[in-house]
Amino acid sequence: MSSVQSQQEQLSQSDPSPSPNSCSSFELIDMDAGSLYEPVSPHWFYCKIIDSKETWIPFNSEDSQQLEEAYSSGKGCNGRVVPTDGGRYDVHLGERMRYAVYWDELASEVRRCTWFYKGDKDNKYVPYSESFSQVLEETYMLAVTLDEWKKKLESPNREIIILHNPKLMVHYQPVAGSDDWGSTPTEQGRPRTVKRGVENISVDIHCGEPLQIDHLVFVVHGIGPACDLRFRSIVQCVNDFRSVSLNLLQTHFKKAQENQQIGRVEFLPVNWHSPLHSTGVDVDLQRITLPSINRLRHFTNDTILDVFFYNSPTYCQTIVDTVASEMNRIYTLFLQRNPDFKGGVSIAGHSLGSLILFDILTNQKDSLGDIDSEKDSLNIVMDQGDTPTLEEDLKKLQLSEFFDIFEKEKVDKEALALCTDRDLQEIGIPLGPRKKILNYFSTRKNSMGIKRPAPQPASGANIPKESEFCSSSNTRNGDYLDVGIGQVSVKYPRLIYKPEIFFAFGSPIGMFLTVRGLKRIDPNYRFPTCKGFFNIYHPFDPVAYRIEPMVVPGVEFEPMLIPHHKGRKRMHLELREGLTRMSMDLKNNLLGSLRMAWKSFTRAPYPALQASETPEETEAEPESTSEKPSDVNTEETSVAVKEVLPINVGMLNGGQRIDYVLQEKPIESFNEYLFALQSHLCYWESEDTVLLVLKEIYQTQGIFLDQPLQ
């Protein structure tokens, strides 16, 4: 009997005409009975799987309007493709699916949304299906027109929606197993809020991206599939980088935007990790991996081993081929989809990705021809016109009679530069001519930077010529040993475009060059096809290394400090510099006072008559004493000179500085080790990094910041 009474009480609570007490949890708003019906404004959404949950994300206003126009055009939706998200995705209206254009990604469901209900946990609104939204809209229209509310609808999932009034609509979700007692769906579960129209829900809808693309930047990731502490992919991280750039264009290039001088910079990700690990190497590694600490070993195999893969000639070839072919493919596809694009192209690499790009750039050939490419790659540019042939060199040495021997052995100038004294002896060159030839080519190589290519491997693969701008200090038979850049058995592919600027984020390039035996970079060296090079890093990044000390090894100087995007230096850095300057001043003043006091005690007394007779000496004494305290400031003066005097860091960046360091945040300065890993992954959302990239890119087009940063 008690159970029947409880069911009656529940039925009374679920009565369509709720009492003021029963509906106290809802916000009731008085509505005019004669309110007119207005059609709902639809907005288009797409579904993404985030943290194993479906999340519905709205298209920006421009994309949604284009989708709605295509939907309402009267033409069949089948076969209609609408580009969205700046052309990076295509929406197939007939399929209601969204596909990525430039990279591999799971297709996303697309929905024309008008009615929403609030989710269970995250309080985000979820759109109803298009068919059921149409049923809800028709019911709502009848209720408004006839002023008859408290309408009940049942969804295909047996969920009940009740329209109490235009501002109070609820959704009841059934609880599994409770129907055995005959209870109705309205009394089960917690009611959810129902909203009509996207303007009535809390969701951020962006305005859209400028249609004009001024510059294209390819971004290559580092080790592993995850690029930040949230284990996001390179696509998601580059999306953040692009979003930050759009915001900074509005705040720091406002005048140029108002004058319609600029549009935006497009950043596209390049993924090489997936093709590398799809070669079957993971299966081979799994067979030899120990079963203990499984997660750590899996992380090592999937992430850290990428460094060793790149040092392996076999997998290094796979990596560089993938990176170059992907950039060429995306560039070709981008031009097909943007035929009016007239801007330049730059490349950016994070961590190991920057080393991959560096090796590819150093092994490029200029399209002007082999001779011009050879001149660009010399340490010192040759001024005497065409390079003399081997026959001309032998004639110059008065050794023309030995040319037939070299021709018979198929020895050209490059091969001769690799020959040792024993090699020449074996082909029948006497001692005297041998010494002349070796001395001539050794002197010519050291004075003009003629490169010595690496020997061909047994497999006969084409080997890239060694980098000409670096050499080790080791000697053999009086000759410097050139050490090649990259793997000697790797054939580096050619890019179909010339990058304008190369940006390296948290890059280990300097360390890898040093490990390969390279001591310094010749100041006159520059990339064959790329004009600019910026090495950007966080001061606590454990993977980053500098480049400039390899160009100017004998001078100690600080890297360029990247200005804060708000146009000032961080407060804690200014305070630190102020305290350092104050302590230096106190130290110098104290040492100067002690020096003067010591001299006054140790100085012998002068007779008054002598002092009066030599006034010139007394006048000269203060001058000497005033000069000596300046010795105390020698260290400070040298530091000031380092900061003021311009430093020649070579032509790798067109004569500009190469190393640029970010300003650490105040909380990061408390413990460098605690934020070390985070510092290596901070570049994707760093406004300072993005602003430097934008500033350098637009400077090549003659467009500058609204206000120069201090």
Side-chain angles (χ1 to χ4, degrees):
M1 188 68 181
S2 60
S3 62
V4 175
Q5 291 178 353
S6 63
Q7 291 182 7
Q8 291 178 351
E9 292 175 0
Q10 292 177 352
L11 288 174
S12 64
Q13 292 177 0
S14 62
D15 189 82
S17 57
S19 62
N21 294 331
S22 63
C23 294
S24 59
S25 60
F26 305 110
E27 296 180 1
L28 295 177
I29 302 176
D30 294 334
M31 301 297 299
D32 294 335
S35 59
L36 299 177
Y37 167 76
E38 294 182 359
V40 64
S41 298
H43 196 92
W44 291 75
F45 283 65
Y46 63 92
C47 182
K48 293 283 289 184
I49 305 298
I50 301 177
D51 297 332
S52 302
K53 295 187 299 184
E54 289 187 355
T55 302
W56 286 91
I57 303 173
F59 285 96
N60 62 61
S61 55
E62 293 182 2
D63 290 343
S64 180
Q65 183 178 356
Q66 289 185 0
L67 290 169
E68 184 63 22
E69 290 175 355
Y71 173 82
S72 306
S73 62
K75 303 176 183 178
C77 291
N78 293 332
R80 291 294 301 273
V81 178
V82 180
T84 61
D85 300 276
R88 296 181 297 275
Y89 290 89
D90 282 340
V91 172
H92 294 242
L93 278 182
E95 303 176 17
R96 290 294 196 273
M97 299 298 289
R98 172 177 176 264
Y99 296 94
V101 174
Y102 298 107
W103 55 83
D104 293 331
E105 183 179 313
L106 293 177
S108 305
E109 180 184 354
V110 174
R111 188 174 294 179
R112 183 176 181 265
C113 305
T114 52
W115 285 77
F116 307 84
Y117 66 91
K118 185 174 288 189
D120 290 328
K121 299 179 180 179
D122 52 7
N123 290 328
K124 291 184 178 180
Y125 282 91
V126 180
Y128 287 104
S129 65
E130 294 186 33
S131 58
F132 188 66
S133 294
Q134 187 175 357
V135 174
L136 285 171
E137 184 64 21
E138 292 174 354
T139 305
Y140 177 85
M141 180 182 65
L142 291 175
V144 172
T145 304
L146 303 177
D147 195 20
E148 296 179 357
W149 293 97
K150 304 171 186 176
K151 299 283 187 179
K152 282 187 180 181
L153 291 91
E154 185 173 351
S155 70
N157 298 329
R158 298 189 69 249
E159 298 175 351
I160 298 298
I161 294 91
I162 302 178
L163 309 182
H164 292 289
N165 59 54
K167 296 296 181 181
L168 179 58
M169 296 171 282
V170 292
H171 176 143
Y172 292 94
Q173 185 179 19
V175 179
S178 60
D179 287 344
D180 296 340
W181 294 91
S183 56
T184 60
T186 56
E187 58 191 312
Q188 299 166 2
R190 185 179 179 182
R192 301 176 176 180
T193 304
V194 177
K195 294 292 184 180
R196 174 179 179 266
V198 71
E199 64 274 5
N200 293 319
I201 65 175
S202 57
V203 62
D204 294 330
I205 299 178
H206 301 286
C207 297
E209 303 176 9
L211 297 178
Q212 176 184 340
I213 300 177
D214 305 319
H215 204 86
L216 175 63
V217 180
F218 294 114
V219 184
V220 180
H221 66 86
I223 62 174
C227 297
D228 65 355
L229 291 178
R230 287 176 281 178
F231 296 97
R232 298 185 304 168
S233 66
I234 180 63
V235 174
Q236 295 171 301
C237 291
V238 172
N239 287 342
D240 281 349
F241 202 88
R242 187 187 306 109
S243 299
V244 173
S245 72
L246 293 174
N247 295 333
L248 290 175
L249 286 176
Q250 296 177 359
T251 57
H252 290 72
F253 294 87
K254 191 174 183 180
K255 294 180 181 178
Q257 279 194 336
E258 292 175 351
N259 297 331
Q260 297 183 350
Q261 293 179 307
I262 64 173
R264 64 183 175 92
V265 177
E266 180 63 280
F267 298 90
L268 296 179
V270 177
N271 181 14
W272 56 266
H273 181 269
S274 299
L276 170 66
H277 288 262
S278 63
T279 58
V281 65
D282 287 352
V283 178
D284 298 334
L285 285 173
Q286 189 62 34
R287 288 199 298 264
I288 61 176
T289 301
L290 301 182
S292 60
I293 51 174
N294 184 44
R295 292 185 179 181
L296 180 58
R297 296 187 189 277
H298 176 73
F299 174 80
T300 301
N301 291 346
D302 203 33
T303 305
I304 301 177
L305 286 188
D306 285 348
V307 179
F308 299 97
F309 283 140
Y310 188 68
N311 286 326
S312 163
T314 302
Y315 294 106
C316 179
Q317 186 70 64
T318 302
I319 293 174
V320 296
D321 286 345
T322 301
V323 172
S325 62
E326 273 295 288
M327 290 195 295
N328 289 338
R329 179 190 66 82
I330 296 174
Y331 179 69
T332 304
L333 181 59
F334 178 83
L335 292 182
Q336 293 175 358
R337 296 176 63 90
N338 301 273
D340 298 330
F341 176 72
K342 303 298 182 183
V345 183
S346 295
I347 56 178
H350 175 245
S351 189
L352 183 63
S354 63
L355 177 65
I356 298 171
L357 293 177
F358 185 87
D359 288 343
I360 292 177
L361 287 179
T362 55
N363 288 274
Q364 292 298 295
K365 282 293 184 182
D366 197 347
S367 60
L368 297 179
D370 291 338
I371 295 177
D372 292 338
S373 174
E374 184 79 7
K375 291 180 180 178
D376 286 343
S377 62
L378 291 178
N379 285 346
I380 300 177
V381 179
M382 299 174 61
D383 297 328
Q384 61 266 31
D386 296 335
T387 304
T389 63
L390 176 60
E391 185 176 6
E392 293 174 350
D393 285 335
L394 292 176
K395 185 177 181 181
K396 193 177 191 179
L397 296 173
Q398 298 181 354
L399 299 174
S400 302
E401 63 271 19
F402 299 105
F403 177 71
D404 294 337
I405 298 178
F406 290 120
E407 189 176 19
K408 179 181 178 182
E409 298 291 337
K410 296 182 180 181
V411 176
D412 55 8
K413 289 185 65 174
E414 293 182 349
L416 185 56
L418 293 171
C419 291
T420 62
D421 184 83
R422 184 173 181 179
D423 295 331
L424 296 180
Q425 183 180 3
E426 289 179 353
I427 63 175
I429 306 297
L431 177 61
R434 287 203 309 267
K435 294 301 181 182
K436 282 186 178 182
I437 293 173
L438 291 175
N439 180 68
Y440 175 77
F441 279 96
S442 174
T443 305
R444 189 176 181 84
K445 177 179 71 69
N446 292 332
S447 62
M448 302 178 61
I450 293 179
K451 54 188 175 182
R452 292 165 53 181
Q456 297 284 346
S459 60
N462 293 326
I463 306 304
K465 295 181 179 180
E466 290 186 350
S467 177
E468 315 72 33
F469 62 93
C470 299
S471 62
S472 69
S473 60
N474 297 329
T475 59
R476 182 185 63 186
N477 295 332
D479 295 336
Y480 287 97
L481 298 180
D482 289 344
V483 181
I485 294 299
Q487 303 292 336
V488 295
S489 58
V490 172
K491 181 179 180 181
Y492 286 89
R494 183 172 180 177
L495 302 178
I496 60 176
Y497 57 88
K498 290 184 178 181
E500 293 189 2
I501 306 176
F502 168 36
F503 299 98
F505 306 140
S507 173
I509 292 176
M511 181 269 291
F512 271 86
L513 295 182
T514 303
V515 169
R516 291 171 182 175
L518 305 176
K519 299 299 183 182
R520 64 184 301 269
I521 300 175
D522 192 281
N524 293 304
Y525 176 78
R526 64 182 71 191
F527 293 122
T529 59
C530 184
K531 299 179 181 178
F533 175 36
F534 290 85
N535 182 37
I536 303 170
Y537 60 92
H538 191 282
F540 302 155
D541 190 339
V543 182
Y545 289 83
R546 293 190 62 183
I547 297 293
E548 291 174 341
M550 298 189 69
V551 182
V552 192
V555 181
E556 293 185 5
F557 54 94
E558 296 295 325
M560 289 292 291
L561 187 67
I562 300 177
H564 193 269
H565 66 282
K566 293 184 179 179
R568 56 173 176 78
K569 188 175 292 186
R570 293 186 184 272
M571 187 68 67
H572 69 287
L573 295 179
E574 293 181 352
L575 180 61
R576 183 190 304 169
E577 290 183 359
L579 292 176
T580 303
R581 192 179 301 111
M582 185 184 302
S583 63
M584 288 293 296
D585 292 341
L586 291 175
K587 174 185 175 182
N588 294 332
N589 292 336
L590 179 60
L591 291 177
S593 300
L594 291 176
R595 184 184 292 268
M596 293 295 295
W598 176 255
K599 287 184 177 180
S600 64
F601 283 119
T602 58
R603 183 168 46 192
Y606 293 99
L609 181 59
Q610 182 180 359
S612 62
E613 290 178 354
T614 58
E616 296 179 357
E617 295 181 3
T618 58
E619 292 178 359
E621 183 178 349
E623 296 180 1
S624 63
T625 56
S626 62
E627 292 177 358
K628 290 183 179 179
S630 65
D631 297 338
V632 180
N633 299 331
T634 303
E635 181 180 356
E636 182 181 4
T637 304
S638 63
V639 174
V641 168
K642 290 180 182 179
E643 296 178 353
V644 174
L645 294 180
I647 302 172
N648 181 15
V649 293
M651 300 304 297
L652 197 55
N653 192 23
Q656 301 182 52
R657 294 293 301 273
I658 301 173
D659 293 335
Y660 287 79
V661 61
L662 293 167
Q663 302 180 36
E664 73 272 14
K665 298 178 181 179
I667 191 173
E668 294 174 344
S669 61
F670 287 110
N671 193 319
E672 300 177 0
Y673 296 94
L674 186 62
F675 294 94
L677 180 59
Q678 178 180 335
S679 300
H680 183 59
L681 306 172
C682 72
Y683 306 99
W684 308 116
E685 299 178 359
S686 170
E687 293 93 343
D688 300 347
T689 302
V690 179
L691 186 58
L692 176 62
V693 171
L694 294 177
K695 180 175 73 73
E696 296 301 330
I697 286 176
Y698 279 112
Q699 275 186 359
T700 61
Q701 305 176 15
I703 298 173
F704 303 92
L705 296 170
D706 293 341
Q707 294 181 353
L709 299 177
Q710 300 295 329

